[in-house]
Amino acid sequence: MILLIVILHFIIIIECSYCPIKHIHSSTPTTGFIESPGHPSAYSAPLDCVFNITTAASNVIQLSFVTFDLASKNQLSDQCLDSYLLVVVVDRHGRQHVGDRLCGNAVPSSINTMQSWMQVQFVTTAANNKHRGFRIQYRILSEAAIQEPLSILGEPMFSGCGGHSTPGQLSGEILSPGYPSTYPKNSTCNWLIRVEARQRIYIRIVHLHLAPTIAECERASLTIIDGYKHENFGNERKESTSETSEAKFCGSQLYYSEEGMKSYLSSANRIVVRLVTQEGPASSMIGEERIGFKVCRGV
Ligand SMILES: *[C@@H]1O[C@H](CO)[C@@H](O)[C@H](O)[C@H]1NC(C)=O
Ligand SMILES: *[C@@H]1O[C@H](CO)[C@@H](O)[C@H](O)[C@H]1NC(C)=O
């Protein structure tokens, strides 16, 4: 009798923790949902569920959270212990980028992975009868549907602040708004350059004159962001799942005399070129030489 109870107990535990890996694959753009087991009823414990989402290399995956209700952080350790969601983004080199553990009931912001492979892991350790788990929409987008981060033009009389290339476009140039006479203040302009999934981008700064000295980064700066993923990834620790390196340029090309400092080869197939300004050009620059920047990409 006791043996039977032990066996029954064992079977029940196994049944509760049974959560086979779910493979979701679509080679073409689509949308769908993943949910915690039993959603919208409370989830059980222990669970260790993995959703493995993949698409063709030319597409990317985005997640948006529809509902999210997990046990809150452990008060003593301030960590997600009883249950949590983990988003793992696998980049094109096969490297895994593991995000922070997500728990509690604040709906996390969308995750735009910029990659074609990701895993969502859902782990529960403590039994619970009130938290309903999650429902997440995944979207598979084609490369061409990826947009650059939002640009903000501080002075409306300017134009040409931000944009994106089409995937097949191999060369071209980017000019700061107002080039070569001036540039707008209080602006953020983002340009997205992209090529096919397995290619890389070569870009070169042909001309740069933003401020009289290299110390004036606040006035205006040019940043080249490699391995672009969307800005609105999760919280502060967004870098943890991205693969981003940046090169920032301030002042003028006089400070970047070596040719190698002025050119850049991306590690992946996207680059964002970003101009951030607070003020316009210094008065000492007016009438001088060409003001702003010119960047060329391609061969
Ligand atoms: C997820 O899917 C990919 C592609 O099919 C596969 O290579 C990988 O092994 C899967 N991951 C797991 C944990 O099964
Ligand atoms: C800069 O732009 C923001 C909104 O984009 C505005 O609120 C702010 O007043 C502007 N600052 C200056 C100095 O123009």
Side-chain angles (χ1 to χ4, degrees), residues 48-59:
D48 186 355
C49 313
V50 173
F51 302 86
N52 188 25
I53 310 176
T54 54
T55 179
S58 55
N59 298 331

Side-chain angles (χ1 to χ4, degrees), residues 80-142:
C80 299
L81 296 179
D82 292 350
S83 61
Y84 59 86
L85 197 79
L86 206 58
V87 175
V88 180
V89 177
V90 187
D91 69 25
R92 289 170 203 279
H93 307 288
R95 285 190 294 253
Q96 297 198 350
H97 303 268
V98 182
D100 290 334
R101 288 184 178 187
L102 302 171
C103 65
N105 58 13
V107 179
S109 42
S110 312
I111 298 175
N112 301 313
T113 70
M114 297 292 123
Q115 304 292 342
S116 54
W117 180 2
M118 73 182 307
Q119 288 180 3
V120 176
Q121 186 180 15
F122 177 52
V123 176
T124 68
T125 56
N128 126 76
N129 54 18
K130 61 172 198 280
H131 298 293
R132 298 152 162 271
F134 63 86
R135 179 171 165 85
I136 297 173
Q137 183 180 46
Y138 62 86
R139 295 174 65 204
I140 291 176
L141 297 179
S142 68

Side-chain angles (χ1 to χ4, degrees), residues 146-215:
I146 299 171
Q147 300 288 307
E148 73 277 7
L150 205 64
S151 296
I152 301 164
L153 185 56
E155 294 184 87
M157 56 283 230
F158 285 81
S159 62
C161 174
H164 52 263
S165 65
T166 53
Q169 205 175 337
L170 283 181
S171 60
E173 63 181 29
I174 297 172
L175 302 176
S176 50
Y179 185 87
S181 6
T182 182
Y183 57 77
K185 64 178 182 193
N186 199 21
S187 301
T188 300
C189 307
N190 291 300
W191 292 268
L192 169 63
I193 305 173
R194 54 163 159 239
V195 290
E196 302 288 324
R198 307 218 173 268
Q199 295 176 338
R200 301 202 286 172
I201 302 157
Y202 173 78
I203 72 170
R204 184 166 170 274
I205 299 175
V206 178
H207 179 76
L208 179 79
H209 189 36
L210 294 174
T213 72
I214 196 171

Side-chain angles (χ1 to χ4, degrees), residues 186-287:
N186 199 21
S187 301
T188 300
C189 307
N190 291 300
W191 292 268
L192 169 63
I193 305 173
R194 54 163 159 239
V195 290
E196 302 288 324
R198 307 218 173 268
Q199 295 176 338
R200 301 202 286 172
I201 302 157
Y202 173 78
I203 72 170
R204 184 166 170 274
I205 299 175
V206 178
H207 179 76
L208 179 79
H209 189 36
L210 294 174
T213 72
I214 196 171
E216 290 173 77
C217 281
E218 301 266 286
R219 179 186 294 282
S221 65
L222 165 66
T223 309
I224 296 172
I225 302 161
D226 193 1
Y228 166 65
K229 54 189 293 311
H230 272 247
E231 307 293 280
N232 56 349
F233 181 94
N235 43 31
E236 327 305 87
R237 298 269 309 278
K238 61 184 174 193
E239 304 306 340
S240 62
T241 50
S242 76
E243 187 199 347
T244 303
S245 59
E246 298 190 355
K248 189 169 179 176
F249 301 87
C250 310
S252 80
Q253 63 198 40
L254 295 176
Y255 300 100
Y256 307 94
S257 50
E258 284 173 46
E259 186 50 38
M261 297 168 91
K262 287 188 279 194
S263 44
Y264 201 95
L265 182 64
S266 68
S267 64
N269 67 322
R270 296 181 208 103
I271 260 183
V272 168
V273 174
R274 173 175 300 162
L275 170 70
V276 177
T277 69
Q278 275 183 11
E279 298 161 63
S283 49
S284 67
M285 293 163 67
I286 304 292

